[in-house]
Amino acid sequence: MVEAYYAIVLLILALTLPLGSRKLVYSASPEVRGYSPLNGMSGSAHKAAIVGAVLISIGLIVICIFKPETLPDRAMYEQYYDMGGGDKMNRELEPTFTILVRMAPSFMVLLGLYAVLSVSGHIVAIFSNSPNIWLSLLIYLSYTFILHDMIQMRAGVAIGLLLIAVRFIRERKWIVYFLFVALAYTFHYSALIFVFFYFIPTKHLNKWIWSAILILCTIAGLLNTQLGYVAKFLPVGVVQTYLENYMGSKTYIASEIGPARLFKIFCAIIMLFNQKSILRSYPYTIPVLIFYMCSQMSYLLLSDIPVLQGRFGEMFAAFDIFALAMFPLISKKHYYLWWIVPIALVVYQHIEANRLLTYVVN
């Protein structure tokens, strides 16, 4: 399976490389309601790209269905399936899980249903909302696909829907946006937090204020003053009970903040100071950048509450698919040179993905 994954991924990246060309990226309409990363293509090329997206989806769906039995979470979901999807479990899952379990005559069919929903959501989002389809595919396939589509399949479906919905924040289509969030919520309850993000800024961010916030959060994280540590001083019983349920004790030990996290924060600050340049080609810059920064802040401030850090950090981190892909837009002249930033982060993140795949083999 590992060999098949790498073969399919390399084939996809090789065939879609032209979709990352500077000419195509900068020919996409910057108009809010008319944006598409395929706008610069001729009619026949546009149709070929759509067919390619369908074929990519089919290949990735097959990988998800026939994932190894030792993959993390697979045994858990198979047990949930055998237990009826919620009726006999002592934990409450989303209603769609029970519905899909009852629809599926076998566990493999259940995997197929989730794979179709999750993979198609991500691919539709990338081919509709990405600032650079090739870089987005690179980021998605190297890590996000493995973590969400292959392992955390409930979250994967929700995230695919949220990636599609980001355009409706900028287009101010509140009914459509809330419908997408509501649908995502039925697949993973953590999506509820995105209700509040319809009201975020969409046209401009104060680069000094947001940079200061990121720096302060970084300092707080490095000094082990995360929210859990601070909350232990609050003489509120419900807060302490909540923390104990998630952490198991009142000993709050923050996880280390690695160089990749610091580098991502540095990239966020660079994009804040170059947001006008990015906006000239990518109208969804501001919402995407906010989600990207929220991911960094979640990892910095919630590292002593691993459950919340994982839920919010990973949900927001899915927008790296767009955020890192738009980084080269800070300079049209040096567009290809700045590819080194997302590619370097992809290589670093794939170390973790490779660990998961190695775990599968062993």
Side-chain angles (χ1 to χ4, degrees):
M1 177 55 68
V2 177
E3 291 78 7
Y5 160 78
Y6 279 111
I8 291 176
V9 167
L10 291 175
L11 179 62
I12 291 172
L13 294 177
L15 295 177
T16 58
L17 184 58
L19 298 180
S21 70
R22 180 169 59 183
K23 180 180 179 181
L24 178 63
V25 168
Y26 279 94
S27 62
S29 171
E31 296 296 326
V32 174
R33 294 183 181 272
Y35 177 80
S36 169
L38 302 177
N39 276 343
M41 286 185 160
S42 63
S44 58
H46 188 280
K47 292 179 180 178
I50 299 301
V51 172
V54 173
L55 295 176
I56 290 171
S57 299
I58 293 173
L60 298 180
I61 289 168
V62 171
I63 292 178
C64 289
I65 294 174
F66 296 100
K67 58 189 177 183
E69 294 182 0
T70 52
L71 196 70
D73 283 8
R74 189 188 190 281
M76 177 189 73
Y77 279 119
E78 188 167 9
Q79 182 181 15
Y80 288 168
Y81 176 81
D82 293 336
M83 297 174 68
D87 293 341
K88 301 178 181 179
M89 297 187 300
N90 56 8
R91 65 171 294 188
E92 182 179 357
L93 296 180
E94 298 79 14
T96 51
F97 184 77
T98 302
I99 293 172
L100 291 176
V101 165
R102 292 173 178 173
M103 289 174 55
S106 69
F107 180 63
M108 295 297 288
V109 173
L110 178 68
L111 293 181
L113 292 173
Y114 268 100
V116 169
L117 294 171
S118 181
V119 171
S120 60
H122 281 80
I123 296 301
V124 167
I126 288 172
F127 277 77
S128 302
N129 297 342
S130 173
N132 182 321
I133 293 176
W134 189 82
L135 283 178
S136 287
L137 285 173
L138 175 66
I139 298 162
Y140 168 56
L141 295 173
S142 65
Y143 183 74
T144 308
F145 169 71
I146 297 172
L147 179 62
H148 292 145
D149 296 352
M150 294 183 69
I151 299 176
Q152 301 173 350
M153 58 188 195
R154 289 163 36 241
V157 177
I159 289 170
L161 293 168
L162 295 170
L163 288 172
I164 295 174
V166 68
R167 71 183 298 130
F168 304 122
I169 299 176
R170 181 65 182 89
E171 294 175 0
R172 309 315 296 160
K173 295 181 179 179
W174 65 272
I175 295 178
V176 182
Y177 176 77
F178 287 129
L179 285 175
F180 268 88
V181 173
L183 186 57
Y185 174 76
T186 66
F187 284 95
H188 204 283
Y189 289 139
S190 297
L192 181 62
I193 193 173
F194 284 84
V195 168
F196 305 101
F197 282 85
Y198 181 78
F199 306 100
I200 61 176
T202 60
K203 297 180 180 180
H204 175 74
L205 293 175
N206 187 302
K207 57 188 178 184
W208 299 105
I209 292 177
W210 281 91
S211 296
I213 291 174
L214 287 172
I215 293 172
L216 289 174
C217 289
T218 303
I219 294 173
L222 292 173
L223 295 178
N224 282 353
T225 53
Q226 288 85 0
L227 293 183
Y229 176 81
V230 174
K232 74 176 183 178
F233 295 106
L234 297 176
V236 181
V238 65
V239 173
Q240 294 301 316
T241 301
Y242 179 82
L243 292 176
E244 287 178 7
N245 288 338
Y246 277 103
M247 302 174 65
S249 70
K250 292 188 178 182
T251 302
Y252 305 94
I253 301 176
S255 61
E256 294 183 1
I257 298 173
R261 185 68 51 211
L262 298 176
F263 186 65
K264 282 189 171 184
I265 295 166
F266 180 66
C267 289
I269 294 175
I270 291 178
M271 286 189 283
L272 281 169
F273 278 81
N274 291 274
Q275 58 186 283
K276 290 183 179 180
S277 297
I278 303 174
L279 275 166
R280 292 191 187 102
S281 300
Y282 187 50
Y284 312 132
T285 298
I286 302 305
V288 166
L289 185 53
I290 289 176
F291 289 135
Y292 176 78
M293 292 189 292
C294 284
S295 173
Q296 312 316 314
M297 290 187 282
S298 295
Y299 283 112
L300 290 169
L301 300 179
L302 297 173
S303 58
D304 51 354
I305 313 178
V307 173
L308 294 184
Q309 183 195 49
R311 288 180 179 177
F312 296 144
E314 290 173 5
M315 277 280 186
F316 292 128
F319 287 88
D320 287 7
I321 293 173
F322 298 153
L324 296 178
M326 74 183 186
F327 188 88
L329 295 177
I330 64 175
S331 172
K332 185 174 183 179
K333 180 179 180 180
H334 303 292
Y335 170 74
Y336 290 112
L337 177 63
W338 285 119
W339 277 31
I340 192 172
V341 172
I343 291 176
L345 285 170
V346 161
V347 171
Y348 186 91
Q349 289 184 155
H350 190 65
I351 295 174
E352 174 65 16
N354 188 64
R355 185 189 68 80
L356 292 174
L357 293 174
T358 303
Y359 170 80
V360 169
V361 174
N362 295 334

